[in-house]
Amino acid sequence: MGNILSVCHAVEMAGGDIVMCTSADQIGGVERIILPGVGAFGDCMRNLRERGLVDALNRLVLEQKIPILGICLGMQVMAKRGFEGGEYDGLGWFEADVVRLVPNDASLRVPQIGWNDVTFQRDCELFGGLPEAPDLYFVHSYYMRCERRENVIATCDYGGTVTAAVGKDNIVATQFHPEKSQDYGLKIIRNFLSWQP
């Protein structure tokens, strides 16, 4: 999960304390969870299973209702399935598939790398205090295609509408990288740290 150090740095800048957990026995007692990730869907799920983190995350997030923020691949594995290099089961928290990004505009490259305007639900606390359509930083070749539109809390346009963030209950997740999105990203992380779902 290659963005862990930059996520840790951003959380510290936002005023949070960090416990980095790599196994199930380290994760108990946390107040909030951030699930980062860079890489492939199948590899990420295999690592989570091998470390016993799937059961731990299900217990903490679904039963104990601990707030969680997924970032990039950490968001994607919250879907029921991913199709990156094959078909893989995800955590299944969202009725969604993770599919390859195919822009309608042939001039747009995949992966999408760089800044893009994000349109978000104005009443979503994760985006509180942000201006309309803030620029946020993306690096991805796949995106979450949600079956339930009410779970999509932000989108961007990249040769078509792309899911930029999802949310329900105590779960929020972003396809963009708040830890790389400068002041707006830090604001999103601060909002998550104070969020009371």
Side-chain angles (χ1 to χ4, degrees), residues 179-195:
E179 80 280 10
K180 297 181 184 295
S181 295
Q182 300 182 356
D183 290 345
Y184 295 154
L186 286 178
K187 179 62 176 169
I188 289 170
I189 292 172
R190 285 192 192 97
N191 288 343
F192 172 70
L193 294 177
S194 63
W195 183 40

Side-chain angles (χ1 to χ4, degrees), residues 8-59:
C8 289
H9 182 65
V11 171
E12 289 175 339
M13 287 184 66
D17 295 323
I18 298 166
V19 176
M20 194 179 308
C21 302
T22 57
S23 64
D25 59 352
Q26 296 173 310
I27 200 171
V30 298
E31 296 177 5
R32 294 171 191 279
I33 301 167
I34 296 178
L35 181 59
V38 170
F41 190 105
D43 293 339
C44 183
M45 284 304 302
R46 187 183 66 248
N47 283 330
L48 291 174
R49 286 193 188 93
E50 288 176 354
R51 296 169 188 261
L53 286 167
V54 170
D55 290 341
L57 286 170
N58 282 331
R59 184 179 66 256

Side-chain angles (χ1 to χ4, degrees), residues 67-113:
I68 185 168
L69 170 64
I71 298 174
C72 195
L73 183 58
M75 166 183 164
Q76 294 181 358
V77 295
M78 294 177 177
K80 63 182 181 182
R81 293 181 303 181
F83 290 90
E84 183 176 3
E87 180 178 340
Y88 301 94
D89 290 336
L91 293 168
W93 297 348
F94 289 95
E95 291 294 316
D97 289 333
V98 174
V99 297
R100 184 159 178 81
L101 186 62
V102 182
N104 294 331
D105 182 346
S107 69
L108 295 174
R109 293 184 175 190
V110 175
Q112 177 187 195
I113 300 176

Side-chain angles (χ1 to χ4, degrees), residues 95-168:
E95 291 294 316
D97 289 333
V98 174
V99 297
R100 184 159 178 81
L101 186 62
V102 182
N104 294 331
D105 182 346
S107 69
L108 295 174
R109 293 184 175 190
V110 175
Q112 177 187 195
I113 300 176
W115 299 86
N116 200 345
D117 292 345
V118 170
T119 301
F120 58 87
Q121 292 181 1
R122 298 302 302 182
D123 60 348
C124 179
E125 292 181 40
L126 190 66
F127 302 108
L130 293 183
E132 189 172 343
D135 269 353
L136 298 165
Y137 191 80
F138 289 79
V139 181
H140 67 123
S141 298
Y142 288 77
Y143 77 103
M144 186 184 283
R145 186 175 61 202
C146 292
E147 296 175 17
R148 295 180 177 273
R149 298 303 305 162
E150 66 269 25
N151 293 151
V152 178
I153 60 174
T155 59
C156 68
D157 186 277
Y158 195 72
T161 300
V162 175
T163 305
V166 293
K168 68 176 185 179

